[in-house]
Amino acid sequence: TTPSSNRDTYEVLTHTKANLNMINCIYIESDKGLSRLINEVSETNPTVEFVLSDGFDGIENKGITVGAVCGMGGELIEQILEEGTIDKNGVTFVLQPMTKEASLRQYLCENGFEITDEHIVKDRKIYQIICARYTGEKYEITPTELLLGRVNIQKKDELFGEFITKTVDMVREKYNGKKSAGLNVNYELACLIELSIIKEKYNNERK
């Protein structure tokens, strides 16, 4: 489902097989949204505690094991993770960026968050869900892995073909725009070549 509503936030957690009995707090942006979510989720799981806060600030002593940040731009999710004062160790972060997915993955890699799982979901549009946990160890991934997700490339689920086609179209549009403006397109060209290889391999495996 599209994580554009509070109910969808709950559905995202369910989709990623999060243990809702272990969730002590769900991040919600507004008091109005919090009230709606309390009514919807309490019927299903009355043990969930609801806290209105600025990101993860002010909930340091809640013993959080799963933190879901959904339905906002990747850069804002980065800010929430960066400024959060909770102990990140032992926490599984379920992240659903509406934009800047590659930027968010880059942040996770550069700041010691291991990407443990990824999901592609669709409700009119395609959305990405990124599950990560803090290890403190930085690592590198390729530009194509930033765009598609290393786990998504490995899993190649039923939406992967449509997802990679959409990604190729996006990169090609950037390539054409920069080329028309006389700008360097080496990065986009390299991405298009690697994306084409992955797409061809995927199509061959589906035959």
Side-chain angles (χ1 to χ4, degrees), residues 31-45:
D31 52 358
K32 183 178 180 180
L34 181 61
S35 297
R36 286 201 302 267
L37 190 59
I38 288 175
N39 294 331
E40 292 172 350
V41 178
S42 293
E43 297 177 2
T44 306
N45 196 316

Side-chain angles (χ1 to χ4, degrees), residues 14 27 55 72 87 100 116 120 137 139 193:
T14 304
Y27 170 82
M72 60 193 72
D87 182 2
K100 304 288 187 180
T116 58
I120 305 168
E137 297 182 9
Y139 58 100
I193 292 172

Side-chain angles (χ1 to χ4, degrees), residues 27 29 54-56 69-84 95-100 103-104 107:
Y27 170 82
E29 291 182 294
D54 182 5
F56 290 113
V69 189
C70 309
M72 60 193 72
E75 292 177 336
L76 181 54
I77 294 176
E78 293 172 24
Q79 181 181 339
I80 290 171
L81 292 174
E82 183 71 22
E83 297 179 356
L95 313 173
Q96 189 279 304
M98 301 294 286
T99 60
K100 304 288 187 180
S103 174
L104 177 57
Y107 171 84

Side-chain angles (χ1 to χ4, degrees), residues 86-98:
I86 63 168
D87 182 2
K88 299 181 179 68
N89 292 291
V91 179
T92 296
F93 293 95
V94 182
L95 313 173
Q96 189 279 304
M98 301 294 286

Side-chain angles (χ1 to χ4, degrees), residues 17 25 61 86 95 101 114 146 153 156 163 203-204 207:
K17 299 180 176 63
C25 176
N61 300 319
I86 63 168
L95 313 173
E101 296 90 346
E114 177 190 4
L146 289 175
I153 295 172
K156 295 185 176 68
F163 174 49
N203 291 334
N204 289 335
K207 291 180 180 179

